[in-house]
Amino acid sequence: LVALCACVALADLTPRAVDRALYALGRAPTPGALLTNVASLLRASLAAQSWTPRALELADAVAPFASVELERRRQGVRVAAARRHDIAREETVMAEVLAWADVSGDPEARADAEGWLGRLRYRQARYLDAAAAHREAARGQTWASARVASELNAASALLEAGSHREALTEARAARERGDVARHGFFVAKAGWVLRAAQYRLGEADAPDVGLVDAAGEVSSEMEGFLAITEAAVAWRGGMRDAARALANRASAHWHGAGATHAWVIARALAVACGEPATEDARREVVVCAARCEAPGIGLQALALVAEDTRRDAGALDAARDFVRRLPADQRALRREVLSVGECEERLGLTSGG
């Protein structure tokens, strides 16, 4: 029963649920080898959610389970932990997990593996491949939460592929299913995808601070992402004070959390909205943005602090490289804050610049 509780907690995707499961495990007077191993799995899951590279070390230290259900969760935590490393490490772990899924003989293990592969494809900027993998994963899942998770991941991938209307449709359907399942995390994530799609389509006119507050009740991660989106909405609408407050809210959430891509765009947007910053602090934004693994995020952050970026030849070279790595046919499409074309204009990167 406690092992099933752990599986439910790991499907919930929130630290709160994992903490509850760990509490239940802690009440066992003589936990034995199985429950001790389950507790190690839950702790590794918490580490993976906090963006620490040490999470993979903790996940690999968990012994394999005889139960296919628990072993699926262990492999899922390994993949999530590998995401905290460079992409080469994630690719290596993913190859191991795909091999395990092939020999497991379990249809749900294969569905899980498709979903994890979709997340790797997303990180590789192969967004349509990512969406296809997540849709395949959704078809093979039996848990309602797992299906909704895959559907939302597909919607996120479609968003980055520039298929904003399709992303809206997917997110709305997933939100309805999340409501039925009473799964707060997925309802919050669906809200984020919907707002991000509406912003990119030019259909979000004013920030929804209440949505950010509500997301914070169930997931600090979704609160952070929504704060960035709503800050962009406010900035685009000329509401600089509201935009700065929301960007600072997101920046404070992500600072020190390991998600440097989320922190750097939030911090850059706050500075662009008039947040006082020392020369060293502005320099930190430029350096972090120029080293960003996600080219779209790095480019936007550099463009938001364009005045500082233009004084740094290396940062300008990084911006040019980011532009080359992004799809040319999506130059006019808004991203998290700016379109590629807007970034080029702010940075003075004309066709010959």
Side-chain angles (χ1 to χ4, degrees):
L1 180 61
V2 176
L4 178 60
C5 172
C7 289
V8 172
L10 292 169
D12 191 81
L13 293 178
T14 64
R16 187 181 306 171
V18 176
D19 281 336
R20 283 199 302 265
L22 277 169
Y23 172 75
L25 281 168
R27 297 183 66 192
T30 52
L34 173 62
L35 295 190
T36 298
N37 205 39
V38 170
S40 296
L41 178 64
L42 290 170
R43 292 190 188 98
S45 172
L46 284 175
Q49 292 183 51
S50 63
W51 294 81
T52 171
R54 186 169 174 266
L56 185 56
E57 177 186 336
L58 294 174
D60 282 341
V62 179
F65 292 95
S67 160
V68 175
E69 181 74 20
L70 281 170
E71 183 61 11
R72 283 172 48 215
R73 305 302 177 186
R74 186 181 78 89
Q75 297 291 354
V77 171
R78 288 188 68 224
V79 173
R83 258 178 241 127
R84 307 318 184 209
H85 287 259
D86 60 49
I87 197 166
R89 186 71 179 109
E90 183 178 352
E91 288 169 345
T92 299
V93 172
M94 193 65 237
E96 296 169 359
V97 171
L98 286 170
W100 161 80
D102 285 339
V103 301
S104 70
D106 179 36
E108 285 191 279
R110 188 66 230 185
D112 283 345
E114 283 291 335
W116 300 328
L117 180 62
R119 297 196 67 158
L120 174 59
R121 295 290 179 255
Y122 184 99
R123 190 177 181 187
Q124 294 168 330
R126 295 168 55 180
Y127 299 119
L128 291 178
D129 290 340
H134 286 307
R135 283 168 164 167
E136 183 64 26
R139 284 190 284 270
Q141 295 290 357
T142 58
W143 282 43
S145 59
R147 284 198 302 275
V148 175
S150 294
E151 289 165 351
L152 283 171
N153 286 335
S156 297
L158 290 168
L159 193 66
E160 296 308 312
S163 302
H164 300 150
R165 292 290 176 198
E166 202 172 350
L168 274 174
T169 300
E170 290 265 2
R172 285 188 178 119
R175 183 176 62 180
E176 290 176 7
R177 281 188 274 275
D179 275 332
V180 171
R182 301 184 64 156
H183 201 300
F185 176 84
F186 293 132
V187 173
K189 184 173 181 177
W192 167 60
V193 175
L194 287 168
R195 289 295 289 171
Q198 289 165 352
Y199 171 72
R200 296 182 191 206
L201 286 164
E203 296 176 358
D205 300 324
D208 189 343
V209 179
L211 182 60
V212 181
D213 293 339
E217 292 296 317
V218 293
S219 167
S220 60
E221 181 182 22
M222 285 301 107
E223 178 186 9
F225 284 133
L226 266 164
I228 294 174
T229 299
E230 299 307 317
V233 173
W235 173 79
R236 186 74 66 168
M239 293 170 270
R240 284 170 59 90
D241 289 344
R244 185 171 64 252
L246 284 161
N248 278 330
R249 183 171 176 176
S251 174
H253 169 76
W254 293 114
H255 186 65
T260 54
H261 60 289
W263 173 82
V264 76
I265 195 168
R267 182 60 177 161
L269 182 52
V271 171
C273 292
E275 178 67 14
T278 65
E279 184 176 341
D280 286 346
R282 297 175 77 99
R283 174 67 182 160
E284 181 185 14
V285 173
V286 172
V287 170
C288 185
R291 295 174 178 172
C292 190
E293 183 185 79
I297 297 293
L299 177 63
Q300 290 174 85
L302 289 172
L304 286 165
V305 291
E307 183 178 339
D308 300 278
T309 301
R310 284 194 296 267
R311 291 197 293 264
D312 186 322
L316 274 177
D317 286 341
R320 292 187 184 95
D321 180 59
F322 289 152
V323 171
R324 285 191 291 268
R325 290 163 60 188
L326 293 166
D329 60 347
Q330 294 184 19
R331 182 178 179 276
L333 296 180
R334 283 185 193 174
R335 300 179 71 86
E336 286 78 7
V337 180
L338 297 162
S339 69
V340 172
E342 288 172 328
C343 291
E344 290 178 301
E345 290 174 14
R346 291 174 71 95
L347 292 167
L349 301 180
T350 60
S351 57

